[in-house]
Amino acid sequence: MSLTLNIIEHELRSLGMIVRTEENNLEFEDFRIYLGPDSLKNQDMLYLTSDRASTAQVRESGYYALYVNPKDEKPDENAVISVLEGSDALVTFNALLEVFFQYGSWERDMDTLFSTGGDLQDLLDISTSFLKNNVVILDPALKLLAYTKDVPCDDRITEELISHGYHTDENIRKFKLHKRFKPWSEDDGFIINDTYEICKYVTVVRSFKTSDSFSLIIVMMCNVSEPKGYLLDAYEMFAERVGRYAMREYPDDKPSGTAIDTFLRDLFVGGAGDREAVRERANTMGLPQDARFCLFYIGSYGDNVPPHRLLADVSRIAAPAKTVSIGDSIVVLCFNCQSDRCALHCETGSCPLGHRSMSARLNDLMQKYDLVCGRSSKFKQIEAARDAYNQAREAHDIGVQKVGQRENLDLPHDWSRIFSFDRCCVDYLVKQCGESNLATHTYASFVLDHIAERDTTARTDNYEFLYEYLINERRTSVVAEKLHMHRNNVKYRIDRIESQYGIDTEDPSMRFDFLLAYRVRESAIVQNAQKN
């Protein structure tokens, strides 16, 4: 959380004569009383001084000072703001403490709403005292999504909007006549209109864009307070949170809404109805009923990952796939794939937007946040999403176990942070065996145990050699290259292993049994390590 100099200056107005000498609108994360050079720790901190010598020391050290002296009439040029002929340093300190607390609490409340499923109306309700004026939030169809209930506005356009729940055709005609839509869809930042052509008040519009037009629109009617710097800064803090909703619920050029989130939650965890009901609701939501679907699951992300930021980042890179939060997890329903050849993972170039594959993008993001993502098997009908959700969740949980043991794994995975259920299916089966772990009691597992034990005592690597020989389909040249040996030695070594341990690699059933045993052993080792 940080406060701008505009906001700090405004909040100090009641404490005395305020003189600002810093032109730039700096931001400060917190403030402290200056107690000498050793107290200067952070350039994002504002330091309170009460004498000019201290202010000069702060400035010379490259930090910023707030000068407070009720007996002084002249501002200190070394301070960003001087508070004169008013409250003393302690009163000013307490006042700033309250300001930082109030704004910090507001930001935390907004972030909590976003991560716990609060809607735009909830967001606006807790922001009224900071925004001062009447505010409305609209969707791309100019339908009213939220409005300030505690600040009435006597502007006729606004009254009609609140009354109808959407802008009337007559008002939309006025917007087109005065070319309001063009800046909304093209300009960045605030659009301040003080022409009074349509609204009787100055308006401040902030729009969020898709590839073709705009998605969410915030309109503030300045019917109580003028759009001064401090108010625009608070408005920007609010708009930043609205932008996260826009990114999540209105990706690219396919606007959706909270109705889709509700449907997806019902679809994944139950409550969406039978097959016909699911397909009818999907059609209503504008979601495909039949496509090349897969589902990604990102589980609990702990206290070190800002949930709102993670959700926004996932939504951004996954669009036009749909992203929804469920409890402390994030789920992506992907139908981006356009390739019939795409198997376990996304093919490069198969994304309809020309992006890197979904798995590659999510894998990079998971590495950034030090997280794990589970992925379901592919499915073709949307009603199968609940099974896919359970698959992805199981793959995630297995991935959490495996990622810490990766250096000990014998079997490679395509992605370091994406765990596909197809690749984790054996791990899932072993998990279902419970304490008995009967899957490890096969003949092939017994032989592999014996080989591993002999390798330890004799310092050989027959266990690894046999695996490479089987996984590479007995192609001696490939095995020789991977293990840095001559191809003639490959045949010699496999003959010795077959003779010593009673293995016949010509038998396809036996090859399958041993490869499965390798997978079961890997999974059992990881799960036992997790228990210990």
Side-chain angles (χ1 to χ4, degrees), residues 309-486:
R309 177 58 59 194
L310 176 62
L311 184 60
D313 285 348
V314 172
S315 301
R316 173 177 52 82
I317 68 172
K322 301 304 178 187
T323 304
V324 62
S325 61
I326 301 179
D328 60 352
S329 65
I330 295 175
V331 183
V332 178
L333 176 65
C334 180
F335 43 87
N336 295 0
C337 183
Q338 302 293 309
S339 173
D340 286 322
R341 297 174 297 161
C342 189
L344 292 180
H345 288 289
C346 315
E347 277 196 353
T348 302
S350 65
C351 176
L353 300 181
H355 294 162
R356 296 170 62 214
S357 71
M358 178 70 78
S359 290
R361 284 178 279 154
L362 279 177
N363 191 71
D364 289 348
L365 188 64
M366 295 300 98
Q367 288 179 326
K368 173 184 174 182
Y369 284 105
D370 193 23
L371 296 173
V372 166
C373 176
R375 173 176 175 155
S376 74
S377 299
K378 288 190 172 294
F379 56 104
K380 294 184 177 180
Q381 288 81 36
I382 195 169
E383 59 267 21
R386 186 176 184 185
D387 287 341
Y389 171 79
N390 290 327
Q391 285 181 338
R393 188 174 58 181
E394 290 289 347
H396 167 271
D397 293 346
I398 292 168
V400 169
Q401 293 179 338
K402 284 195 170 189
V403 74
Q405 300 285 328
R406 183 167 298 283
E407 66 277 7
N408 299 322
L409 301 184
D410 298 311
L411 301 178
H413 292 268
D414 288 345
W415 309 100
S416 61
R417 296 288 175 158
I418 305 292
F419 288 82
S420 167
F421 185 79
D422 296 276
R423 298 287 173 83
C424 296
C425 187
V426 172
D427 303 274
Y428 172 72
L429 294 175
V430 171
K431 182 180 177 181
Q432 299 308 303
C433 290
E435 296 296 329
S436 63
N437 214 354
L438 295 177
T440 63
H441 299 167
T442 64
Y443 171 73
S445 295
F446 170 77
V447 174
L448 291 182
D449 286 340
H450 191 37
I451 294 175
E453 291 173 2
R454 288 290 297 272
D455 280 350
T456 301
T457 57
R459 297 184 179 180
T460 55
D461 61 351
N462 289 330
Y463 184 93
E464 178 187 358
F465 177 85
L466 178 60
Y467 170 73
E468 293 293 343
Y469 185 75
L470 294 174
I471 200 67
N472 288 291
E473 299 176 340
R474 299 182 297 156
R475 292 177 293 180
T476 55
S477 59
V478 175
V479 176
E481 182 178 354
K482 292 191 68 172
L483 297 181
H484 308 291
M485 52 190 302
H486 194 278

Side-chain angles (χ1 to χ4, degrees), residues 199-367:
C199 180
K200 66 182 293 184
Y201 299 106
V202 174
T203 61
V204 184
V205 177
R206 182 73 154 79
S207 63
F208 300 90
K209 290 171 259 319
T210 64
S211 61
D212 296 326
S213 183
F214 50 84
S215 53
L216 290 180
I217 310 161
I218 319 172
V219 183
M220 178 169 68
M221 273 68 59
C222 298
N223 61 321
V224 176
S225 297
E226 296 179 6
K228 295 182 178 180
Y230 82 92
L231 187 58
L232 294 180
D233 290 346
Y235 191 27
E236 179 60 34
M237 294 167 65
F238 172 74
E240 179 186 347
R241 273 70 184 182
V242 176
R244 294 172 190 168
Y245 282 87
M247 188 177 296
R248 183 184 71 185
E249 300 179 14
Y250 297 84
D252 195 53
D253 59 346
K254 295 185 177 181
S256 60
T258 55
I260 285 187
D261 288 358
T262 301
F263 168 62
L264 291 180
R265 292 187 184 101
D266 290 345
L267 181 64
F268 299 151
V269 301
D274 58 20
R275 180 178 184 274
E276 293 303 319
V278 167
R279 296 178 76 83
E280 182 178 351
R281 288 182 65 183
N283 183 59
T284 302
M285 298 295 111
L287 295 174
Q289 302 170 47
D290 300 285
R292 297 181 182 91
F293 293 106
C294 64
L295 191 141
F296 296 87
Y297 180 97
I298 304 166
S300 177
Y301 27 84
D303 297 332
N304 296 326
V305 179
H308 57 275
R309 177 58 59 194
L310 176 62
L311 184 60
D313 285 348
V314 172
S315 301
R316 173 177 52 82
I317 68 172
K322 301 304 178 187
T323 304
V324 62
S325 61
I326 301 179
D328 60 352
S329 65
I330 295 175
V331 183
V332 178
L333 176 65
C334 180
F335 43 87
N336 295 0
C337 183
Q338 302 293 309
S339 173
D340 286 322
R341 297 174 297 161
C342 189
L344 292 180
H345 288 289
C346 315
E347 277 196 353
T348 302
S350 65
C351 176
L353 300 181
H355 294 162
R356 296 170 62 214
S357 71
M358 178 70 78
S359 290
R361 284 178 279 154
L362 279 177
N363 191 71
D364 289 348
L365 188 64
M366 295 300 98
Q367 288 179 326

Side-chain angles (χ1 to χ4, degrees), residues 3-17:
L3 286 187
T4 66
L5 204 56
N6 286 341
I7 292 176
I8 294 172
E9 178 188 10
H10 170 76
E11 296 292 343
L12 292 175
R13 286 292 175 191
S14 62
L15 299 181
M17 183 176 71

Side-chain angles (χ1 to χ4, degrees), residues 78-94:
N78 287 315
V80 294
I81 293 177
S82 297
V83 183
L84 310 170
E85 300 179 344
S87 301
D88 60 21
L90 182 59
V91 172
T92 303
F93 180 85
N94 287 335

